[in-house]
Amino acid sequence: MDIQRIRSRIKAPKVSKKIPLVEIAGKNRVLIENHLGVLAYSLENIQIRVTYGKLSVNGSQLMLLEMNREQLVIQGNIASLELYGG
């Protein structure tokens, strides 16, 4: 089977601009795209509003490294991520 036929059979899912995308880079960095703002901020917990609830990043020495309308980057000793619907 040639590469063109393989590509035609594979359909990549479309990601809506409203659906958050979370990328974890090791245990020290999280990138969140399509967020709706910060709800709470401390060195141990940062809560981010997303379209269907909130995302809670837990750990120690957490900080917002970068933030704009499309994405934000959290850095620190990340222990867990929790997603709350609703």
Side-chain angles (χ1 to χ4, degrees):
M1 190 176 281
D2 70 349
I3 193 73
Q4 294 296 359
R5 285 183 62 190
I6 293 171
R7 284 186 182 159
S8 69
R9 290 182 176 196
I10 298 173
K11 301 220 183 217
K14 293 184 179 181
V15 177
S16 169
K17 291 203 180 254
K18 294 181 182 182
I19 296 175
L21 176 65
V22 179
E23 181 178 307
I24 302 169
K27 62 179 185 173
N28 296 320
R29 184 176 265 191
V30 175
L31 165 71
I32 303 163
E33 294 183 358
N34 305 321
H35 66 91
L36 298 174
V38 176
L39 296 170
Y41 185 98
S42 74
L43 292 174
E44 292 81 31
N45 176 266
I46 299 176
Q47 296 179 11
I48 309 300
R49 195 174 109 182
V50 294
T51 52
Y52 46 78
K54 70 178 175 180
L55 176 68
S56 181
V57 179
N58 306 298
S60 62
Q61 298 181 349
L62 299 177
M63 63 183 214
L64 278 171
L65 193 63
E66 180 180 329
M67 181 174 167
N68 60 42
R69 288 178 144 193
E70 290 82 31
Q71 67 183 21
L72 59 85
V73 177
I74 297 172
Q75 183 171 308
N77 299 316
I78 297 165
S80 67
L81 292 137
E82 296 176 272
L83 181 62
Y84 300 95

